[in-house]
């Protein structure tokens, strides 16, 4: 059986590097603490120092994860980086709250005052503390609106633009670390390292979130070429541009698209390429699932397009075996249709299983059947029965379709329910976790 060497994921070394940074921060505290104090007040303030240092470090990591660095977005995966960002944000917020409470309580015990008078004294009397207080309050606001129960009740655009206040909050809170932090006041090396950490993170954000998208769109000048209905509620948008082959896009990649027309110019949504990129054309296929996706059916030819990308890790580089199963559901067919056409392989190496509620909802069906015929690939549909019963994806079904399923790489794309059901069935059928490739677009 032909074996393909997959591209190694940098996730493990990156996580090891992050933990090494945390260890260095703890060493900094230990190096600047000659003895562990015996009084309760000193123990509290020392604990506050630890939490403050770790909070500053984790905040820097959290911002770096927002920078959309290609090494992370394309190799680790945008969905995984987004989960890292959310987790790091929660840790940063908890560490910040612990730093504030422990430090203020320790100072209050040392001064023999109440917590409220001590808070007023610290905020108004210590250098850079007013800015730090405003920054902390902004971080608390962002943490509140990012909580699941609140986030689900907000418009995405509102949440997104509030989330951008993180940059202001970090800038405001940064300066008090160097002005009042005992670990930095007397150590030029520590100050230099801390400046370097934040300068590098800021440079990554400026380059990949601002300058790279501006350069991309000035260079390629993309516009809507046409809009075609593929199935009920499903449209393909053809996008023309200059020298698009220099984007580095592959089948399986997605871009964040902003259409510069009324009602859409302030929203940037992720949509996958539904066909291999051409030197002058890109295509996305979108199912109407929300306000933004429904509005794409009304796009007019000539509408200017602002794109960021390419992103995503669900490409041919993940493949490690000669045989591949593509398992799609609903709008998840879009990246898998592009992979179905482009994944290397001979007759019998490639199978696409496409699930939809009705035969009419099988988007791009004619294209898929043409690709299957040309490549001698297997194309299977799983459509609800006449009485509405949904065919379940089970280990038994997968083994019947592909007796050697355990020797396949599997790409899964579709709604969360399909992904969870398919993952459980694939594991039960003997497919190792490392050969199940899935990327969520629930950012």
């Amino acid at each position: 059986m032909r074996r393909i060497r997959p591209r190694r994921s940098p996730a493990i070394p990156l996580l090891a590097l992050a933990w090494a940074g945390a260890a260095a921060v703890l060493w900094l505290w230990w190096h600047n603490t000659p003895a562990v104090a015996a009084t309760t007040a000193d123990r509290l303030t020392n604990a506050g120092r630890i939490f403050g240092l770790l909070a500053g470090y984790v905040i820097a990591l959290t911002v770096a994860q927002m920078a959309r660095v290609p090494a992370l977005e394309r190799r680790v995966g945008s969905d995984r980086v987004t989960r890292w960002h959310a987790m790091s944000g929660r840790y940063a917020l908890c560490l910040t709250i612990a730093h504030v409470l422990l430090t203020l309580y320790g100072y209050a015990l040392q001064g023999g005052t109440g917590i409220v008078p001590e808070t007023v004294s610290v905020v108004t009397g210590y250098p850079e503390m007013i800015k730090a207080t405003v920054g902390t309050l902004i971080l608390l606001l962002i943490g509140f609106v990012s909580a699941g129960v609140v986030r689900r009740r907000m418009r995405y655009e509102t949440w997104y633009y509030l989330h951008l206040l993180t940059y202001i909050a970090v800038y405001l809170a940064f300066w008090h670390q160097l002005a009042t932090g005992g670990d930095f006041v007397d150590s030029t090396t520590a100050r230099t390292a801390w400046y370097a950490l934040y300068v590098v993170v800021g440079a990554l954000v400026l380059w990949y979130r601002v300058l790279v998208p501006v350069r991309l769109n000035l260079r390629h000048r993309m516009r809507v070429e046409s809009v075609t209905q593929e199935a009920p509620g499903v449209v393909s948008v053809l996008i023309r541009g200059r020298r698009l082959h220099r984007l580095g896009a592959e089948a399986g990649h997605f871009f964040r698209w902003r259409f510069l027309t009324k009602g859409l110019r302030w929203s940037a949504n992720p949509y996958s390429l539904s066909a291999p990129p051409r030197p002058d054309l890109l295509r996305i296929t979108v199912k109407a699932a929300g306000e933004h996706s429904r509005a794409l059916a009304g796009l007019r030819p000539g509408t200017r397009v602002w794109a960021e990308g390419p992103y995503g890790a669900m490409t041919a580089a993940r493949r490690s075996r000669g045989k591949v199963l593509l398992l799609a559901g609903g709008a998840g067919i879009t990246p898998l249709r592009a992979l179905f056409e482009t994944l290397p392989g001979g007759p019998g190496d490639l199978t696409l299983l496409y699930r939809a509620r009705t035969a009419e909802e099988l988007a791009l069906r004619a294209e898929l059947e043409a690709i299957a015929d040309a490549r001698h690939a297997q194309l299977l549909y799983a459509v609800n029965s006449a009485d509405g019963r949904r065919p379940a994806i089970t280990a038994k079904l997968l083994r019947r379709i592909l007796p050697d399923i355990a020797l396949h790489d599997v790409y899964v794309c579709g709604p969360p329910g399909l992904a969870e059901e398919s993952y459980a069935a694939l594991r039960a059928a003997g497919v190792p976790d490392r050969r199940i490739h899935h990327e969520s677009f629930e950012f």
Side-chain angles (χ1 to χ4, degrees):
M1 179 180 58
R2 183 160 50 91
R3 184 174 179 84
I4 300 168
R5 183 181 296 276
R7 186 187 299 164
R8 292 183 179 178
S9 168
I12 293 177
L14 284 172
L15 290 172
L17 182 63
W19 281 108
V25 170
L26 290 175
W27 177 87
L28 175 65
W29 172 86
W30 182 260
H31 177 73
N32 291 300
T33 306
V36 178
T39 67
T40 299
D42 288 340
R43 284 196 292 268
L44 287 171
T45 54
N46 277 328
R49 279 176 52 215
I50 294 175
F51 284 118
L53 288 168
L54 288 173
Y57 172 70
V58 175
I59 285 171
L61 292 186
T62 304
V63 174
Q65 291 156 8
M66 296 171 66
R68 297 177 184 167
V69 179
L72 295 176
E73 296 282 334
R74 299 182 195 174
R75 298 183 65 185
V76 175
S78 297
D79 59 339
R80 193 173 186 182
V81 175
T82 299
R83 290 194 296 270
W84 287 359
H85 170 70
M87 179 181 66
S88 299
R90 288 191 290 270
Y91 284 145
L93 195 60
C94 291
L95 288 167
T96 300
I97 293 171
H99 163 65
V100 171
L101 294 179
L102 289 170
T103 303
L104 290 176
Y105 189 32
Y107 284 175
L109 288 180
Q110 286 178 344
T113 61
I115 190 72
V116 174
E118 188 64 33
T119 300
V120 173
S121 174
V122 169
V123 170
T124 58
Y126 283 58
E128 304 291 345
M129 280 305 303
I130 293 178
K131 289 194 293 188
T133 301
V134 175
T136 301
L137 292 175
I138 294 175
L139 288 176
L140 289 173
L141 171 64
I142 295 167
F144 173 75
V145 300
S146 297
V149 66
V150 179
R151 167 71 184 88
R152 286 189 291 269
R153 295 175 179 270
M154 297 181 67
R155 285 173 53 88
Y156 171 78
E157 293 79 13
T158 303
W159 173 85
Y160 174 79
Y161 287 109
L162 283 174
H163 212 67
L164 292 180
L165 292 175
T166 301
Y167 299 122
I168 297 175
V170 172
Y171 175 81
L172 291 174
F174 172 76
W175 302 104
H176 94 284
Q177 300 175 62
L178 302 177
T180 62
D183 300 281
F184 301 111
V185 170
D186 298 322
S187 173
T188 302
T189 301
R191 284 200 309 275
T192 302
W194 212 246
Y195 269 121
L197 172 65
Y198 275 80
V199 167
V200 168
V201 169
L204 289 174
V205 171
L206 177 63
W207 181 253
Y208 289 113
R209 292 297 297 269
V210 180
L211 299 181
V212 167
V214 168
R215 184 184 64 174
L216 181 154
N217 287 280
L218 290 178
R219 173 184 293 179
H220 300 290
R221 298 185 180 278
M222 288 177 273
R223 292 181 181 271
V224 173
E225 174 78 5
S226 62
V227 179
T228 305
Q229 184 168 351
E230 304 287 0
V234 179
V235 297
S236 285
V237 181
L238 200 62
I239 298 162
R240 183 173 294 277
R242 302 187 305 182
R243 301 188 296 273
L244 297 181
H245 59 286
R246 296 187 180 179
L247 283 170
E250 304 175 31
H253 276 154
F254 70 92
F255 288 76
R256 288 178 170 88
W257 302 94
R258 190 187 303 271
F259 297 93
L260 304 184
T261 187
K262 184 178 180 180
L264 293 175
R265 66 176 67 249
W266 299 110
S267 302
N269 283 27
Y271 299 122
S272 297
L273 299 177
S274 62
R278 289 168 45 182
D280 60 340
L281 290 173
L282 300 175
R283 190 183 74 174
I284 58 175
T285 301
V286 181
K287 182 176 182 179
E291 183 178 341
H292 188 277
S293 54
R294 282 194 299 269
L296 298 191
L299 285 173
R300 294 183 177 181
T303 299
R304 292 179 59 193
V305 180
W306 183 276
E308 297 178 36
Y311 301 124
M314 200 169 65
T315 64
R318 285 288 183 92
R319 182 181 180 188
S320 63
R321 295 286 171 139
K323 293 188 175 183
V324 176
L325 168 64
L326 305 173
L327 209 165
I333 189 59
T334 53
L336 299 192
R337 181 259 177 245
L339 287 169
F340 193 45
E341 181 178 347
T342 58
L343 278 174
D349 285 347
L350 193 59
T351 301
L352 172 61
L353 175 58
Y354 182 10
R355 193 171 82 181
R357 287 181 295 182
T358 65
E360 291 73 23
E361 293 185 10
L362 292 169
L364 307 172
R365 183 172 184 174
E367 294 182 16
L368 295 171
E369 292 174 352
I371 293 169
D373 288 341
R375 303 198 62 186
H376 304 287
Q378 185 174 201
L379 173 61
L380 303 169
Y381 302 121
V383 179
N384 292 5
S385 61
D387 60 2
R389 284 185 296 176
R390 183 171 61 90
I393 303 296
T394 64
K396 182 178 179 180
L397 171 67
L398 294 172
R399 289 196 189 99
R400 186 171 72 245
I401 295 171
L402 298 168
D404 59 347
I405 180 65
L407 303 178
H408 281 62
D409 269 290
V410 183
Y411 291 76
V412 181
C413 192
L418 171 74
E420 294 171 7
E421 177 187 25
S422 301
Y423 178 81
L426 289 164
R427 296 293 289 121
V431 181
D433 180 78
R434 67 181 180 278
R435 285 197 266 114
I436 302 173
H437 314 301
H438 170 257
E439 192 163 22
S440 170
F441 296 95
E442 299 291 324
F443 296 144

